Amino acid sequence: MASKVISTTIRRALTKPHGAVSRRHHLSTAAAAATTSTATAVDSYADESIMMKGVRISGRPLYLDMQATTPVDPRVYDAMAPYLLQNYGNPHSRTHLYGWEAENAIEIARIQVAKLIGASPKEIIFMSGATEANNHAVKGVMHFYKKKHVITTQTEHKCVLDSCRHLQQEGFEITYLPVKTDGLVDLDMLREAIRPDTGLVSIMAVNNEIGVVQPMEEIGRICKEHKIPFHTDAAQAIGKIPVDVDKWNVSVMSMSAHKIYGPKGVGALYERRRPKIRLEPLINGGGQERGQRSGTLPTHQIVGFGAACDIAMKEMEYDEKWIKGLQERLLNGIREKLDGVVVNGSMESRYAGNLNLSFAYVEGESLLMGLKEVAVSSGSACTSASLEPSYVLRALGVDEDMAHTSIRFGIGRFTTEEEIDRAIELTVKQVEKLREMSPLYEMVKEGIDIKNIQWSQH
Amino acid sequence: MASRIQVLSLCRALLRAGRKFPDYNIRAYTKRRTLDGFRMNKNLTDPSKVNEAYAEAKTQLEVVERVLMSYLAYAPKTKNIMEIKLH
C-alpha cells in the first residue's frame, strides 16, 4: 500500500515538468496580452484622447466634483503606506507586537479625529463611512429610547431619509421639515414640530448638493431646551468649516474620511458621553469599539482618516482662503459672460467649496454631456443616475426647468486658478451653444414671458 | 538656527522635487503650498521658531520624496486636460 502511494507521488513528480512548461506557456501569453494592451494605451496616448462609455475625451477631465469625493492627499497616503506594508497586525490582537503597533496607530488617529471636532477620543466610534454612521445614529437612538417621533428635513442625504423611511415601516412617526427658499431650516417650524414623544432631531450641517450651512448652534440650543438628542450629518462639514460638538450641542455626529482628502471606506460616529447618549448597535459580533461597532478595524484606513483630520485642522484657514477666492472667480467669470444664471441655496450661509448653479433655457443632461472635459455632476452622486431633478432643489421650491439644469461645481484644496478659468470657458461655450439651438431662449430674447405661455395639449 | 542659505536651499529642494509629480493638481499644489509656506514664515526671528519651521519643511520634503516614487510608478497613461492645449 505504502509503495503504491510512493510510486504515484513519483509519477506525479515526473509528469510535473510538462505542467510547468504549459504554465510557462500560459504566462507568456499573459505577458503578450499585457504588451498589446499597453501598446493600445500608448496609441491612445499618442493622439491624446481616451475612449470610454462611447465618449471621446482628449485628456483626463479637470476635477470639480469635490462633494462626491476628494483626491487622497499625498501626506495621507504617506501616513497610510506602512500599514499596508509591514505593519499589518490586527489591532485587536493583544498577545504580540503586530497587534500593539496597530492599536497604537488607531488610538493616535482617534485623538486626531477627536481634536478636529473638539471631542474626547473616547467619544469616537470608527465605522465604514458616513452612510453607516447615519444609519447607526438614526436607528440606534430610536431603537434604544422608547420614543416614537423623529424630526428631520426634506433636504437630508438619502441615507438619513431612507433610515427614517425604514423606521416609519416599524411604526415610528417622522416629520420631514420643509426648508426656506435659501435651503435653511425655519427655526420656528422646528420648535412647532417638537412633540413630547420626539426622540431625535436629525439635521445635516453642510448640505452635499447645495452647500448651505444650517444654523447649528441655534438648532442645538432648541434641542437642549427640550432635552432631545440632536444628530447631525457632518460628512461635508468637518475639516472645512470649524466644528465644535459642544458649541453645536450635538449628541451624535456622522463623519467621513473621503470628503477631507482621506481614503474611502472609513468614517466615524461621535457619541456624546456627558450627558451619555446610548445607541443600539447595528452590527453585532466581537464587541470591538465598546460593542458599538463589531468587526476588525481597518488600521490603514483609520490611520489615513486621522492624518486627513490632522492636516485639515492645520490647513483649514489656508484652504478656506484659497477656495473662497476660487469660488468668487468662478461665479464672477460665469456671470460676466452669461445671463440667466441662478445660485441655488443661500449665498451667505454657505461652504465656499460648493457652487450649485442653474442655467436658464438649457437642458441639464445635454449640458453635462457637452461638458465631458469637466468632471462635475448635477447633484448627488448617489442620485445622478436618474433623470429626475434633484429632490433637494425641489424642496427649495426651484422651478422644474431650473432644477433640471443645475450643475454642482465642487472646489477643493488641489483646484487651481487655471482650472477654474478653463471650466468657465467650457461652460460658457456649451451653454451658449445650447441656447443658440433653443427656441425658448429665442422667445425670451424677443421679450415673451415663457411662464405665461399656454402650451397646447394634444 | 538654520541659516538663510540653508532655508533657501530647502525651499528650492522642495520646489524641485514637487515639479516631478506627474499629477497636475498635486504638482500645482506643492508649488503653491511651498512658496506660501516659506513666505508666511519669512519674518520669523525667534531662533526656536525658525528651527521649528525648518524642521517642519524638512519633514515635508521627506514626504514628497517618498510619495513621489509611488506617483511616478503609477502615473496615468493619459495627460490631464490642463496639460493639453485647447483646440
Side-chain angles (χ1 to χ4, degrees), chain A residues 17-181:
Chain A
H18 186 70
V21 167
S22 73
R23 205 176 304 135
R24 196 184 303 147
H25 180 67
H26 176 72
L27 262 178
S28 62
T29 17
T35 20
T36 35
S37 76
T38 27
T40 45
V42 167
D43 280 349
S44 64
Y45 178 59
D47 63 4
E48 284 176 344
S49 68
I50 321 164
M51 203 48 193
M52 216 172 189
K53 301 213 171 186
V55 193
R56 183 167 284 282
I57 315 165
S58 47
R60 292 177 71 78
L62 59 100
Y63 191 76
L64 287 178
D65 200 5
M66 296 294 174
Q67 274 72 39
T69 193
T70 49
V72 174
D73 193 293
R75 291 163 285 191
V76 171
Y77 170 75
D78 183 57
M80 285 171 75
Y83 295 92
L84 279 165
L85 302 171
Q86 65 278 47
N87 302 1
Y88 48 79
N90 183 329
H92 313 294
S93 296
R94 289 289 158 84
T95 48
H96 47 69
L97 176 80
Y98 293 89
W100 303 333
E101 57 189 14
E103 196 193 8
N104 271 350
I106 281 176
E107 291 320 309
I108 290 167
R110 207 187 291 280
I111 295 167
Q112 288 168 325
V113 176
K115 225 171 153 189
L116 180 67
I117 59 167
S120 147
K122 286 179 183 162
E123 298 173 311
I124 305 295
I125 309 288
F126 286 116
M127 295 198 169
S128 72
T131 294
E132 191 192 333
N134 281 333
N135 269 273
H136 182 80
V138 173
K139 291 175 191 165
V141 170
M142 290 316 283
H143 284 157
F144 193 90
Y145 297 98
K146 300 293 168 223
K147 296 239 173 132
K148 278 271 151 272
H149 181 229
V150 181
I151 299 172
T152 186
T153 68
Q154 291 176 354
T155 56
E156 287 302 302
H157 191 268
K158 265 270 148 63
C159 60
V160 172
L161 293 176
D162 250 30
S163 299
C164 286
R165 194 130 310 148
H166 189 87
L167 287 175
Q168 235 168 343
Q169 282 169 353
E170 291 175 19
F172 291 90
E173 287 167 42
I174 321 282
T175 302
Y176 299 97
L177 284 181
V179 291
K180 295 183 278 187
T181 49

Side-chain angles (χ1 to χ4, degrees), chain A residues 38 41 44-45 48-50 58-62 72-75 77-78 315 318-319 322 373 413-416 418-419 422 425-426, chain B residues 21 24-26 28-29 32-33 36-37 40 56 60 62-63 66-67 70-71 74 76-87:
Chain A
T38 27
S44 64
Y45 178 59
E48 284 176 344
S49 68
I50 321 164
S58 47
R60 292 177 71 78
L62 59 100
V72 174
D73 193 293
R75 291 163 285 191
Y77 170 75
D78 183 57
E315 302 282 301
Y318 179 77
D319 284 347
W322 176 251
E373 282 156 352
R413 183 181 288 163
F414 301 108
T415 312
T416 65
E418 293 76 29
E419 278 181 308
R422 183 73 71 90
E425 193 184 332
L426 291 169
Chain B
F21 275 112
Y24 163 78
N25 293 89
I26 304 290
Y29 175 76
R32 173 169 65 87
R33 188 67 189 83
D36 285 346
M40 244 184 269
E56 168 70 21
Q60 294 302 319
E62 281 161 17
V63 171
R66 272 197 302 269
V67 299
S70 296
Y71 273 90
Y74 299 107
K77 300 263 183 315
T78 19
K79 279 189 190 170
N80 190 295
I81 199 91
M82 297 304 295
E83 298 164 293
I84 300 167
K85 276 240 156 67
L86 200 63
H87 313 295

Side-chain angles (χ1 to χ4, degrees), chain A residues 1 4 16 60 78 108 127 138 160 171 178 186 202-203 259 269 281-282 286 301 314 325 343 375 388 417 434 452 456:
Chain A
M1 184 69 200
K4 202 172 180 185
K16 217 163 191 174
R60 292 177 71 78
D78 183 57
I108 290 167
M127 295 198 169
V138 173
V160 172
D186 190 335
S202 176
I203 294 173
K259 311 284 188 192
L269 187 68
L282 212 58
Q301 281 170 301
K314 288 177 189 154
V343 181
E388 286 274 296
E417 287 174 336
L434 288 172
N452 295 331
S456 65

Side-chain angles (χ1 to χ4, degrees), chain B residues 1 4-6 11 23 30 33 36-37 41 43 46-47 50 53-54 56-57 62 69-70 72 78 80-81 83 86:
Chain B
M1 193 175 103
R4 189 187 152 79
I5 295 164
Q6 275 177 307
C11 181
D23 184 300
T30 317
R33 188 67 189 83
D36 285 346
N41 294 325
N43 298 324
D46 183 355
V50 172
Y54 184 80
E56 168 70 21
E62 281 161 17
M69 285 186 263
S70 296
L72 287 169
T78 19
N80 190 295
I81 199 91
E83 298 164 293
L86 200 63

